[in-house]
Amino acid sequence: MCGIVGYLGKRNATPIIIEGIKRLEYRGYDSSGIALIDAENNLKIFKKQGKIIELERSLPAPSKIFSTIGIAHTRWATHGEATSANAHPHTGCTNRLAIVHNGIIENHKQLRGQLEKNGHIFSSDTDSEVLAHLIEHFCEEDSCLKNCVQRALKLVEGTFGIAVIDSRNPRQIVAARRGSPLILGIGEKEFFITSDVAAIIIHTKKVIYLHDNELVSITPESFELTNLENEVQEPIVSEVDWDIATIDKGEYQHFMLKEIFEQPESVYNAFRGRLNEKFSTAVLGGLNMNGRELRRIKFIQLIACGTSWHAALIGKHIIESLARIPVNVEYASEYRYRNPVILDDTMVIAISQSGETADTLAALREAEARGARVMGITNTVGSTIARESEGGVYIHAGTEIGVASTKAFTSQVTVLSLLALLLGRMRHVSPKYGMQFIKEMRGIPAKIESILAQNDEIKRIAETIKDAQNALYLGRGVNYPVALEGALKLKEISYIHAEGYPAAEMKHGPIALIDEHMPVIAIALKDAIYDKIISNLEEVKARKGRIITIATEGDERVKQFSENVIYIPDTIDTLHPLLSVIPLQLLAYHCACLRGLDVDQPRNLAKSVTVE
Ligand code: AGP
């Protein structure tokens, strides 16, 4: 989701606006930009792909440009790749006006065609740029910016949150909305425009939430609220009752809980725009590889650390299952010093939420030095791993603030599933199975919602293990890495020692640990090896083990040996981890809270380990 911030007043606009879009970083973005009108009434536009810090670095020194009016944007690409040219603000042919836009212009192709016939030349692949040229078209015969914006927007089909500045009207911002949020902030002799209160709340708590098809024209002295027919609307001024310290968490006590509950949306955003029903495959343009190059891949190496390494283990299962390509999963910290063997036609993929993990970055560089094709799967736009990879896929999970990774993990698994589908459909996967896979993937967000609804029950179950010294997590097949991830979650935020183990391996030693003091959390879903794990759990029960079972909805059989059962919806085996991990995240979260620990900042841990 894109972010918009605008300012008009007496202060230097740049720092206010840049700070504002930084507060929108959590939405996720791939580029950003700012437009200012300087003291000589010249329009200045600066925009950059990647992190906002890159944009900041590209700006002239404050002494070189002082402006009291500006608009800025953080973009999350919908039409057109994440490039500087496609970043907002967009301008028309005369470089006199600038617009920032959030939303989708459904009829952008028709409008663009008409404008091009009128001599307009476009410089980006975006739908948004059409708005700049359309408004400019009306400005050729009308000097009133508000009129021009109204006339243009009445031709638009689709959604918009838009802000416009024009060097011919250097003390005016015009903004409007349909379907995408837009807010007017009212300060002391200054005004703000934003798509999210978080961007301006440190300056004012007096806001007006625009309604659909409303437009506001702002000058230094006042503002006028109308609809697109220029009929004056009664402004309703609200008082924001949040403060910035809590706004980031919304109503959640911790970032980690907020991020666990964001997973229906973050998993959706990981596959949004990347499922191709027509050919029942996935679309991952960021790989920068054509069909022939993708077909030539004979080996895959996944390198990562921590939770990302668990995601890689799941990726191995899914890619080997669908594409029949051998996948090695490597701890990056080991890989970089092990003199790895890299055969021809090997694709090496670095998986990293932060995109800055030193071990993973070093392993990626090692693979690159050996001539491998290296890709990155990361959550952080413009991160070092993203920049040093030849291509890759952003997981679009939005900023993950809690040190314990949750939504990034499920989004990494989602992206790896899409990669498996893409490679699989080039090899052995039928269109029919591809369609089933896509249908199941589309159903995952709602199924995650249904598991999150059990939060209170899972908290009750956490009460039963919060004082344990040790815990054992068991899983088989694609759920064995989920057992590892569940154990890591418990370890890193509740400080209870926990170990993930392949359930069948338990009898080769760890079964000696089982007694009434050892909680055993087992993933026993109705999959191809269900009967096998049931027998493993009966072995645990026979030794008085206390079992918490993650089971498939409707499975009564597991009750006979479980102290507690957490039921989750069914799906195809390869996508089970997207569901089976959710209860384990909540279990660890509640254990840590019940033990009174700092969930978001666990001791000794950093969100991104940028050192060896
Ligand atoms: C996971 O909860 C931890 N925060 C940690 O294991 C993390 O996954 C690991 O450090 C890798 O980080 P990255 O994904 O940013 O590379």
Side-chain angles (χ1 to χ4, degrees):
M1 188 131 153
C2 307
I4 290 174
V5 181
Y7 174 79
L8 173 56
K10 296 189 179 318
R11 292 189 283 166
N12 184 5
T14 303
I16 293 170
I17 293 173
I18 293 291
E19 169 61 24
I21 56 174
K22 282 182 176 177
R23 292 203 176 280
L24 305 185
E25 276 185 317
Y26 74 88
R27 293 162 168 261
Y29 64 94
D30 43 48
S31 54
S32 61
I34 182 170
L36 302 161
I37 298 176
D38 68 15
E40 289 74 44
N41 294 344
N42 299 311
L43 179 71
K44 303 281 185 188
I45 294 179
F46 306 93
K47 46 190 190 178
K48 271 282 185 192
Q49 181 188 346
K51 296 172 115 173
I52 295 172
I53 188 70
E54 311 287 342
L55 173 68
E56 265 191 302
R57 287 178 187 144
S58 74
L59 294 177
S63 57
K64 294 270 193 294
I65 178 166
F66 182 83
S67 166
T68 59
I69 177 172
I71 55 177
H73 185 268
T74 53
R75 177 173 184 252
W76 187 35
T78 54
H79 291 71
E81 288 181 26
T83 61
S84 295
N86 288 337
H88 302 210
H90 287 293
T91 184
C93 302
T94 59
N95 204 40
R96 266 200 328 239
L97 65 81
I99 69 108
V100 290
H101 168 242
N102 180 13
I104 291 179
I105 310 296
E106 306 293 349
N107 60 335
H108 70 96
K109 286 194 176 124
Q110 298 94 303
L111 293 171
R112 183 170 180 143
Q114 289 156 14
L115 288 161
E116 285 174 332
K117 281 205 189 85
N118 288 341
H120 283 261
I121 297 167
F122 284 73
S123 57
S124 81
D125 307 327
T126 66
D127 57 331
S128 305
E129 189 188 354
V130 161
L131 294 172
H133 291 274
L134 195 55
I135 294 165
E136 182 181 61
H137 167 74
F138 290 112
C139 285
E140 286 162 12
E141 60 197 41
D142 186 338
S143 61
C144 173
L145 180 61
K146 184 185 74 168
N147 289 351
C148 298
V149 175
Q150 285 171 332
R151 292 170 69 183
L153 293 181
K154 282 194 281 191
L155 299 176
V156 164
E157 294 164 21
T159 57
F160 51 79
I162 178 176
V164 188
I165 58 175
D166 169 10
S167 57
R168 295 178 320 164
N169 297 276
R171 305 297 295 151
Q172 182 182 18
I173 296 179
V174 176
R177 73 151 281 170
R178 181 196 297 154
S180 292
L182 209 63
I183 298 144
L184 170 66
I186 303 165
E188 289 301 317
K189 295 191 180 353
E190 60 184 12
F191 294 97
F192 306 82
I193 275 291
T194 183
S195 51
D196 185 322
V197 172
I200 61 168
I201 194 166
I202 56 173
H203 302 295
T204 181
K205 293 190 173 185
K206 280 173 69 178
V207 295
I208 293 173
Y209 297 92
L210 269 67
H211 297 102
D212 277 357
N213 295 312
E214 279 190 341
L215 173 144
V216 64
S217 173
I218 308 164
T219 61
E221 297 71 36
S222 67
F223 67 89
E224 181 194 31
L225 187 67
T226 69
N227 60 19
L228 298 185
E229 304 306 327
N230 205 31
E231 294 156 344
V232 174
Q233 305 298 298
E234 185 59 33
I236 301 165
V237 182
S238 308
E239 185 76 20
V240 180
D241 60 2
W242 308 324
D243 60 65
I244 198 63
T246 58
I247 196 170
D248 292 332
K249 294 177 199 159
E251 73 271 20
Y252 295 100
Q253 189 187 352
H254 298 104
F255 285 111
M256 182 178 175
L257 187 62
K258 174 173 178 274
E259 288 149 13
I260 289 171
F261 273 76
E262 282 178 339
Q263 289 178 107
E265 180 184 358
S266 53
V267 165
Y268 171 72
N269 286 333
F271 67 68
R272 181 169 93 143
R274 292 170 167 167
L275 294 173
N276 178 331
E277 264 88 353
K278 185 176 176 194
F279 295 106
S280 57
T281 187
V283 178
L284 298 173
L287 291 176
N288 297 329
M289 291 176 73
N290 62 36
R292 276 173 304 287
E293 291 172 310
L294 287 166
R295 267 196 64 84
R296 266 207 301 275
I297 296 168
K298 292 191 179 57
F299 308 95
I300 293 176
Q301 293 179 353
L302 303 177
I303 49 177
C305 302
T307 284
S308 299
W309 185 77
H310 297 150
L313 287 174
I314 294 167
K316 168 186 172 70
H317 272 275
I318 304 175
I319 293 170
E320 289 188 347
S321 166
L322 268 63
R324 312 304 300 156
I325 298 173
V327 179
N328 280 350
V329 176
E330 307 272 357
Y331 274 124
S333 53
E334 292 296 311
Y335 185 87
R336 64 185 290 192
Y337 293 115
R338 204 197 58 222
N339 190 13
V341 173
I342 301 180
L343 301 175
D344 291 346
D345 299 325
T346 294
M347 175 195 267
V348 176
I349 305 177
I351 303 172
S352 172
Q353 189 285 131
S354 62
E356 302 297 347
T357 299
D359 287 327
T360 309
L361 180 57
L364 180 89
R365 288 170 175 164
E366 177 64 21
E368 199 158 33
R370 292 164 183 260
R373 181 182 280 271
V374 293
M375 296 288 151
I377 293 178
T378 182
N379 189 36
T380 312
V381 174
S383 59
T384 308
I385 287 176
R387 279 186 283 110
E388 296 196 10
S389 309
E390 293 172 63
V393 186
Y394 284 123
I395 66 173
H396 292 321
T399 305
E400 186 176 69
I401 297 166
V403 166
S405 187
T406 51
K407 65 176 181 174
F409 172 76
T410 45
S411 291
Q412 287 167 343
V413 171
T414 301
V415 165
L416 288 162
S417 304
L418 299 182
L419 178 62
L421 177 62
L422 173 62
L423 297 172
R425 282 283 292 119
M426 291 180 160
R427 293 166 174 80
H428 316 282
V429 171
S430 69
K432 183 169 182 288
Y433 183 80
M435 269 318 291
Q436 184 197 354
F437 193 91
I438 287 174
K439 179 173 171 291
E440 287 296 330
M441 179 62 81
R442 287 199 183 284
I444 292 292
K447 290 179 178 178
I448 293 176
E449 286 286 9
S450 70
I451 300 168
L452 295 171
Q454 301 178 61
N455 184 38
D456 291 344
E457 171 61 6
I458 294 169
K459 180 177 178 180
R460 181 193 66 74
I461 295 171
E463 290 270 5
T464 68
I465 64 168
K466 69 179 173 66
D467 298 322
Q469 298 300 307
N470 300 285
L472 192 57
Y473 284 71
L474 301 179
R476 291 185 74 140
V478 77
N479 284 303
Y480 159 50
V482 180
L484 295 174
E485 174 60 11
L488 177 62
K489 288 284 109 26
L490 191 70
K491 270 187 284 221
E492 64 178 328
I493 62 174
S494 71
Y495 314 149
I496 296 172
H497 177 254
E499 196 169 3
Y501 231 84
E505 271 300 298
M506 222 251 308
K507 57 185 174 290
H508 299 286
I511 199 162
L513 295 171
I514 302 299
D515 60 23
E516 64 276 19
H517 304 297
M518 169 74 86
V520 175
I521 296 91
I523 304 165
L525 305 179
K526 284 284 186 76
D527 57 17
I529 45 177
Y530 171 73
D531 291 334
K532 302 296 179 192
I533 194 159
I534 293 296
S535 58
N536 299 146
L537 299 185
E538 282 159 347
E539 291 157 15
V540 173
K541 183 65 184 166
R543 290 155 180 85
K544 299 191 178 50
R546 299 173 47 210
I547 302 175
I548 297 169
T549 304
I550 311 300
T552 303
E553 282 170 354
D555 181 357
E556 293 295 316
R557 187 176 166 194
V558 297
K559 286 182 176 174
Q560 61 187 300
F561 43 72
S562 304
E563 188 176 275
N564 282 291
V565 181
I566 301 169
Y567 284 106
I568 65 173
D570 198 7
T571 183
I572 53 177
D573 289 7
T574 46
L575 296 183
H576 274 152
L578 290 171
L579 304 177
S580 56
V581 77
I582 307 297
L584 307 187
Q585 294 170 342
L586 287 170
L587 202 59
Y589 170 79
H590 288 302
C591 278
C593 290
L594 291 165
R595 291 164 70 97
L597 298 171
D598 182 348
V599 172
D600 285 330
Q601 290 291 341
R603 67 187 181 195
N604 312 334
L605 285 175
K607 182 59 187 170
S608 175
V609 183
T610 54
V611 293
E612 277 203 47

